Every structure is written in C-alpha cells, then in structure tokens.
Amino acid sequence: MGPASAGANPGPAAYGRGGPLTVTDCNVMLGKLQPAFFPQVFGPDGDRPLNLKTVQEKFIRLAQEIDAAMGDRRSPEAVAAGFLAIAVETMANAIKKISIQRGYDLTEYTLCCFGGAGGQHACAIAESLGMSRIFIHPYAGVLSAFGMGLADQRKIAERAVEKTLEPKIEAQLKQIYAELSESLRLDFSGDLSHLSQVKSLRLRYAGTDSPLVVSFSSFDAMKGEFESLHRQQFGFILPDKSLVVEVIALEIIETMPIPPEKKLERSRPQSQAPKSVETVQVYTKDQWHEAPVFQRDSLQPGDSISGPALIIEPTGTNVVEPGWGAVVNGLGGLVFCVKADLEALPLEPRQRVKDPLDSRGDQPDPVLLEIFNGIFGAIADQMGLTLQKTSYSVNIKERLDFSCAIFDAAGNLVANAPHMPVHLGSMGESILSLMRDRQAHFQPGDVYIANNPYNGGTHLPDITAITPVYLNPTDSAPTFYVASRGHHADIGGITPGSMPPTSTTIHQEGILQDNHLLVRNGEFLTESLTEILTAGLHPVRNTTQNIADLQAQIAANERGTRELQRITRTYGKTTV
C-alpha cells in the first residue's frame, strides 16, 4: 500500500500476476476475503480466482525470514495480522488527524464506510478510534461513482472588476452577469429552463487583501452581508472604509434528478433469522474463528447478525468482527455496532458525556481530558492559520514570526500552537498586565494591544493582541483570554526593524503601546491607532502594513473566541 503500492497491475500477490504481498493479501491470508465469493477475473489471462496458495506460500517464506533475522517465531497468519494491524492504525491515525487532534469527540459519531475494501477494515478502525457505530450504504463499494452520477452539473465563470461598490455600478454589474450567463449557457444543451443561477461578488475593504464572498443583491444588502461576515470572521468592521468589488462570479447549476431510495419490505417472519450460505475460518483477535457467510442481497430489514461473520455483496466484503453485530435498516443499509448496543439499534447515538469527571466524581476522565487537550491545541492552531492567511507582511505571512495561545481567567497558559517559543514564555505576563490595568473596563468585543517589554513584551516589534473572551454576553468577567503576538516589520524608531544598537532610550526603538484599546465592541478604532503609530519623534514608516497585520491578529483572536464559545455550547461551561 502507499507509495510502494502494487497498483492494479501486477496487483496483489493474490491476483496471480507476480505482484508483492499487500494489505489485500493479508485479508486473503486471514480468511477475510474468500476466493470462492470473488469473480474469476485474475491470473495472466484474467480467468482465474484469487490465488490463495501463492499468498500462503509468500507469508510462510516471510515468517521464516523474520524468524531467521530476529528470532521471532510468528505464524504466517500472525505475520499477516501484524501487517493488517499496522494498516488499520495508519488509517485510524489519518482520521484522528482531522478529528481528535482538532477537538472532535469521535465517540458521538458514526463511521461512514465506503469503498470496495472499506468493509474489511471498518470494525478494526472503529475500535482504534473508540467508535461504536458504523454505517455501510447499499452502494458502499461504488459510492464515489454513484455520487458522481447523481451530482449536479455546475459551471462557474468569473471576471475581475476592481471597482468601488456603490449604487451607480449596479447596471454595469448586471451587464457583466448577462455576458457571463450567455457564455456559460453554451456549455449546456437541451431545455435550459431548469437551470438555476447563483450570483456572487468578492468584496474587500479598500486597502486590504482579504475578500469575502457575498450574494449579489441591492447595495445596502451586499454592504450589510459583508459587514456581518467581516465581523464574524475577523471580529471588527471598518465603517469608514469603502468596499471594492474585486471579482464577480456566476455559477449555473443543472440539477440532476435523484431517484428515491426504495424502502425494503420484510417477507420473512421477524423471528426467522437469515441463513448463511457457508461457514469459513477467519483469523482475528489472534485466533481462528468459525464465521458464517451471508449474502447481503438476501438480508431483510430487521435482520441481525453477530460477529464473527462475513457479509458478501457484489462490490465488497464486510467483516463483522467478534464483539460486533450488524442490523439491516429499512433502506438496506448495514448498521454495525458493538454487541452491547445491538439491542438499542436503531436508536439515536449515545448522548455526549457532559462532565469530564468519571463516575467517582474525583478523577478526570482521561478520554475527555485528551479530547479537551486536542480541542484547545486545535483552537490555537486555527488561530495561527487565520493569522497567516489574513496577514499582510512577509514577517508574518511567510516567515511565520508569530504565536497564538489561550489563557484562563487567571492569565495561566492553557494551550499554545507550536509557533515561536520565545513569544510564549512572556505572553502570560502581558495578559496579567492587561488584567491589572484595564480589567474593570473590559467589555465583550474588546481587543487590546501591547508591546511593552516592562509588562511581558519582548521587543517593540512584537505586538500582542489580547481579547478577553466572554462565553456568554451576560457574563460579568472573561472566562478565557486569547492572544496573538506578531513581529511587525517596523514599529518606528531611529532605524527600521528591531532594536537599533545605538539607541539609549526605549522610545528610540519605536512606538510603545501599553494596553491600548484597539477594538471597542467590534469597531476597529483606526483613528486612535493611527495617532499612536504616527506620534513622537520616531513614528512608524508604513502604517498601512501595521494596521493590516493588527487586523489579521484580531481575526486570529476572533477565531479563537468563537471556537471557545462553540465548545462551551457543546460541553457546558463547567467542564471547560
């Protein structure tokens, strides 16, 4: 598998064309793939069954090589099971990377299994992930092709505009849409009356490079939608800035008919169990088991099968592992679950545990602790990605000279992303300084900035944006603080950059900002910031760049704030 995959040709050793051992061969060796239930399309001439004998011989030789090299006397089937276990963990880790490590509790989800080989590994992967439920669609083996056949046909055209958004350009935009529509319709044939159109624009504030997509409508509606999206994503708006139409886009959609799913009727009495067509030997859980084989098309709604068992269908083999059971639902789908939950099917998934303490009430649940650890770390990661994506300067966007972190109500570090360690050691002191100086004035939606080395800063170009996080609008005090520290390319001073060697006072190094209020109730205070940046004998040299990077830091903090509020709605405030 992977980069060294045998591919379709020569394919696995079982294909009989001289291929190497693969994961498929592991399943053949362990009885999870049965040659008798496979089409005879293998071998040099494409007319033979899967070659079990070749697979067995190769695993016997491999076991002997392992014994000779390491003194590890594993049986051939144990060798195959070992490789299969590694493959399962590799697949499970890929799922963890986009779920647990981002803070999702997989125990509340159902594993949706598809692909011709998916059903062979689903139970083992679910066990590795701590999941207790699996769903296998009737067309799971060809689900991608099935989905492509049902997908709507879409065509998109765009055109650059780069004009200020104002009511007088509405007619011009409509004319461009008419031209785009005419060009796209040439890609469709037949009756076009069923086609639908989606018109959108990419808008941005003048002087910035972070556009947002809004629907084309009236001037006031587009301006209102943009401000709502901007406040949601970045945490502030710039009411005095004009809007620029960067690009307009038109999407034409031909909706494809979707056949209704056929509800299956049961013809056998409920008390009559399905009949197996054969019993085979399957190696799993470190031993051989007798496993009945069922044809999926013979199963009826309500049928229940306990593992170990095989369920064969034209496009795949599904393995019901020991300790698992399967139930057929009314549309022919297979629902696997651990046997302890089998009688509860098809009830709703188990409710999330609200309290991270175990039943004794005095010890943290290690699973939920790990989940929260993943949640907070993932939030800091997301903050960093937002900062990088929306920043302006090379220092932050490309050199990645920034850090993001979450702090508790007392200013203690909760989690940080693996950014610049030098920033993180003192960022907590910046939080404590802000709390001492301004806590009585905090309001939801506020953002402060600071770079004072005497209050937790490092050097003046490292500006920290701090947002007190209120989980509920009625809270009297913040529950968290989120902070992002970025190295600005210039902060004034007698020379550009960082800490001129000839300076004798800190003000010769640049502009000192000590817990300055940057955003009040979601409004970016541009004038007061500009006044500070341009004051004194040694002002900053590029206020546009400073402001743009600070806006990116605010956006990063807003992402962290919203994610903390989201997990509070999910888990309850007492658990975080």
Side-chain angles (χ1 to χ4, degrees):
M1 62 180 296
S5 170
N9 190 13
Y15 283 13
R17 291 198 289 265
L21 289 174
T22 68
V23 173
T24 297
D25 297 307
C26 293
N27 284 309
V28 172
M29 182 69 183
L30 301 176
K32 296 182 178 183
L33 287 180
Q34 291 289 323
F37 296 96
F38 256 65
Q40 296 189 16
V41 294
F42 305 103
D45 300 322
D47 58 355
R48 299 179 186 177
L50 288 174
N51 194 323
L52 174 59
K53 182 179 179 181
T54 296
V55 171
Q56 291 173 332
E57 290 174 349
K58 283 181 174 286
F59 271 112
I60 290 171
R61 287 198 299 270
L62 184 55
Q64 292 170 345
E65 291 174 13
I66 293 172
D67 185 14
M70 304 180 63
D72 185 337
R73 296 189 175 183
R74 293 172 183 258
S75 66
E77 53 267 28
V79 172
F83 281 117
L84 191 58
I86 293 171
V88 165
E89 283 303 314
T90 301
M91 291 185 275
N93 286 336
I95 297 173
K96 290 176 184 177
K97 190 169 185 63
I98 60 171
S99 52
I100 292 176
Q101 292 178 17
R102 296 184 182 181
Y104 293 97
D105 183 357
L106 287 177
T107 61
E108 68 169 320
Y109 290 94
T110 296
L111 182 65
C112 185
C113 169
F114 67 96
Q120 299 163 33
H121 311 103
C123 290
I125 291 173
E127 287 178 356
S128 177
L129 296 170
M131 302 177 75
S132 61
R133 185 177 293 231
I134 302 164
F135 175 71
I136 303 179
H137 190 273
Y139 298 146
V142 290
L143 201 60
S144 295
F146 181 64
M148 289 174 65
L150 299 180
D152 294 340
Q153 302 299 306
R154 297 170 180 261
K155 296 286 184 178
I156 303 175
E158 296 181 343
R159 185 174 298 180
V161 178
E162 296 294 342
K163 290 183 178 293
T164 300
L165 179 66
E166 48 191 349
K168 67 180 183 181
I169 71 165
E170 182 178 355
Q172 181 181 351
L173 296 180
K174 288 183 176 179
Q175 176 59 34
I176 295 175
Y177 276 123
E179 295 170 4
L180 294 177
S181 176
E182 189 63 28
S183 65
L184 287 179
R185 286 178 182 273
L186 298 176
D187 294 326
F188 297 90
S189 59
D191 181 18
L192 305 180
S193 61
H194 62 292
L195 300 180
S196 58
Q197 296 187 0
V198 177
K199 300 177 180 178
S200 62
L201 300 86
R202 290 209 296 267
L203 300 181
R204 58 177 172 82
Y205 280 124
T208 69
D209 60 355
S210 298
L212 297 173
V213 178
V214 303
S215 301
F216 176 69
S217 55
S218 67
F219 170 79
D220 289 337
M222 289 188 290
K223 185 174 184 294
E225 183 181 355
F226 176 85
E227 289 182 345
S228 176
L229 289 172
H230 202 277
R231 189 187 298 273
Q232 176 181 339
Q233 182 162 339
F234 302 120
F236 63 92
I237 59 173
L238 302 170
D240 298 329
K241 284 272 191 181
S242 59
L243 295 178
V244 174
V245 181
E246 188 176 86
V247 171
I248 68 172
L250 176 67
E251 182 177 20
I252 292 186
I253 305 169
E254 181 179 12
T255 303
M256 306 304 289
I258 299 178
E261 293 187 87
K262 183 180 179 181
K263 188 172 180 62
L264 303 182
E265 300 293 337
R266 187 176 179 88
S267 60
R268 284 187 276 105
Q270 189 69 42
S271 59
Q272 186 176 340
K275 293 183 179 180
S276 63
V277 295
E278 190 176 338
T279 298
V280 297
Q281 293 290 315
V282 173
Y283 187 91
T284 185
K285 309 295 184 184
D286 299 324
Q287 60 180 308
W288 288 99
H289 299 261
E290 287 191 348
V293 179
F294 299 89
Q295 292 287 355
R296 183 165 180 173
D297 56 12
S298 69
L299 301 179
Q300 299 185 4
D303 281 347
S304 176
I305 295 171
S306 294
L310 302 181
I311 301 176
I312 308 294
E313 55 187 298
T315 58
T317 295
N318 305 299
V319 179
V320 187
E321 295 281 359
W324 287 77
V327 169
V328 182
N329 69 13
L331 296 174
L334 291 175
V335 182
F336 286 24
C337 70
V338 294
K339 282 185 178 178
D341 295 339
L342 192 59
E343 294 180 359
L345 286 174
L347 300 178
E348 292 299 314
R350 294 176 296 176
Q351 294 297 311
R352 180 198 293 275
V353 178
K354 291 290 185 181
D355 195 336
L357 297 179
D358 66 10
S359 58
R360 293 177 295 169
D362 59 352
Q363 294 294 325
D365 180 340
V367 175
L368 283 179
L369 281 180
E370 181 62 24
I371 289 169
F372 283 128
N373 180 51
I375 287 174
F376 292 129
I379 291 175
D381 277 331
Q382 290 177 53
M383 292 172 64
L385 290 172
T386 301
L387 177 53
Q388 180 187 0
K389 182 179 68 174
T390 58
S391 60
Y392 180 91
S393 69
V394 172
N395 271 9
I396 295 178
K397 184 177 288 291
E398 297 183 21
R399 287 185 55 242
L400 308 182
D401 195 346
F402 64 82
S403 293
C404 299
I406 303 169
F407 301 83
D408 66 13
N412 300 310
L413 179 66
V414 173
N416 61 267
H419 296 144
M420 297 292 288
V422 68
H423 293 164
L424 298 166
S426 62
M427 205 185 297
E429 291 299 319
S430 297
I431 305 292
L432 294 174
S433 171
L434 177 65
M435 293 168 63
R436 289 192 300 266
D437 190 24
R438 299 295 184 92
Q439 191 166 22
H441 306 288
F442 288 167
Q443 295 182 24
D446 289 353
V447 182
Y448 294 84
I449 55 173
N451 67 345
N452 190 344
Y454 303 105
N455 283 328
T458 48
H459 58 169
L460 297 188
D462 286 339
I463 302 178
T464 306
I466 304 169
T467 302
V469 178
Y470 291 79
L471 298 179
N472 298 294
T474 57
D475 289 350
S476 59
T479 304
F480 292 100
Y481 295 86
V482 291
S484 56
R485 177 172 287 180
H487 183 123
H488 287 241
D490 175 67
I491 195 61
I494 58 179
T495 61
S498 309
M499 297 188 298
T502 58
S503 61
T504 57
T505 70
I506 193 170
H507 296 290
Q508 291 176 324
E509 296 182 2
I511 300 299
L512 184 69
Q513 302 165 77
D514 200 5
N515 299 328
H516 172 71
L517 180 62
L518 184 62
V519 176
R520 166 62 79 188
N521 195 26
E523 181 180 348
F524 190 87
L525 304 178
T526 309
E527 290 185 7
S528 65
L529 175 63
T530 303
E531 183 178 341
I532 289 177
L533 294 177
T534 57
L537 296 175
H538 311 291
V540 301
R541 297 163 178 82
N542 187 347
T543 57
T544 299
Q545 181 171 256
N546 290 107
I547 290 173
D549 279 347
L550 286 171
Q551 289 172 345
Q553 289 178 248
I554 297 167
N557 287 8
E558 180 67 13
R559 170 53 63 96
T561 297
R562 290 187 176 275
E563 287 300 306
L564 289 169
Q565 292 169 340
R566 178 186 66 80
I567 66 168
T568 302
R569 290 192 297 269
T570 303
Y571 286 93
K573 183 175 179 180
T574 58
T575 66
V576 295

